[in-house]
């Protein structure tokens, strides 16, 4: 996904106004989890945060969605959106996928592609972003007030 973009309205971002001192991995993981859990207390939150599907797995109001598309579709979109050649677009996709996978594995001991971490999987091949959002909101229904997408 793209940072800071959510169709249909602004997205709240967490920022740190001062430099963050170096901390060990356990301290980082614990602080990261605390920030995610605290943000999840607000109503009608949409997360696109690495590891939220693990951190908020037991949250009673969470609806976890894995958003995916075939590599060919992802390549075409990035090449078009960012004006890149195929080689650079592929490099970016592989780097982002690798970083996402490594982060979730390192800090939460999970594989982000494990389907049991999600309530739904949306394949965006052939559908526009606004249609995917509409579909996800329809699947979530009236009960959940917290969407976690990856």
């Amino acid at each position: 996904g793209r940072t800071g973009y959510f169709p249909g309205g602004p997205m709240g971002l967490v920022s740190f106004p001062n430099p963050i001192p170096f901390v060990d991995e356990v301290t980082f993981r614990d602080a990261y989890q605390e920030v995610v859990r605290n943000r999840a207390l607000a109503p009608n939150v949409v997360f696109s945060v690495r590891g939220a599907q693990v951190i908020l797995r037991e949250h009673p109001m969470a609806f976890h969605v894995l958003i995916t598309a075939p590599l060919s579709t992802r390549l075409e979109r990035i090449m078009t959106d960012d004006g890149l050649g195929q080689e650079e677009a592929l490099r970016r996709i592989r780097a982002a996928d690798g970083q996402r996978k490594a982060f979730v594995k390192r800090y939460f001991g999970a594989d982000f592609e494990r389907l049991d971490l999600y309530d739904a999987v949306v394949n965006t091949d052939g559908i526009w972003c606004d249609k995917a959002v509409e579909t996800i909101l329809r699947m979530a229904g009236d009960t959940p007030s917290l969407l976690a997408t990856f």
Side-chain angles (χ1 to χ4, degrees):
R2 305 248 190 259
T3 304
Y5 173 73
F6 182 73
M11 183 169 89
L13 299 174
V14 176
S15 62
F16 300 95
N18 300 315
I20 301 171
F22 176 78
V23 295
D24 61 77
E25 287 189 19
V26 173
T27 302
F28 169 78
R29 184 199 64 222
D30 292 348
Y32 185 86
Q33 288 182 19
E34 183 179 345
V35 168
V36 170
R37 285 188 183 114
N38 285 340
R39 292 289 290 167
L41 296 174
N44 301 315
V45 175
V46 175
F47 277 102
S48 182
V49 177
R50 292 179 182 176
Q53 71 275 48
V54 179
I55 298 167
L56 301 173
R57 186 72 220 141
E58 302 301 320
H59 192 291
M61 299 302 284
F63 186 72
H64 302 277
V65 182
L66 176 63
I67 300 173
T68 188
L71 179 59
S72 60
T73 300
R74 296 171 69 199
L75 267 172
E76 182 181 321
R77 288 176 181 167
I78 290 175
M79 289 168 59
T80 301
D81 291 351
D82 297 345
L84 300 174
Q86 184 173 349
E87 188 175 310
E88 177 61 17
L90 183 58
R91 187 195 66 71
R92 285 191 186 183
I93 289 170
R94 287 185 175 150
D97 288 353
Q99 290 167 0
R100 183 178 302 110
K101 186 173 191 145
F103 185 91
V104 173
K105 184 70 168 175
R106 179 177 185 170
Y107 292 107
F108 308 109
D111 179 357
F112 87 96
E113 293 175 317
R114 257 186 40 212
L115 296 181
D116 65 321
L117 293 174
Y118 303 95
D119 299 302
V121 177
V122 174
N123 182 345
T124 62
D125 187 36
I127 65 172
W128 293 97
C129 187
D130 57 344
K131 190 64 165 175
V133 170
E134 181 183 311
T135 300
I136 292 166
L137 292 174
R138 196 172 328 112
M139 284 189 299
D142 295 331
T143 306
S145 64
L146 173 68
L147 288 173
T149 63
F150 312 95

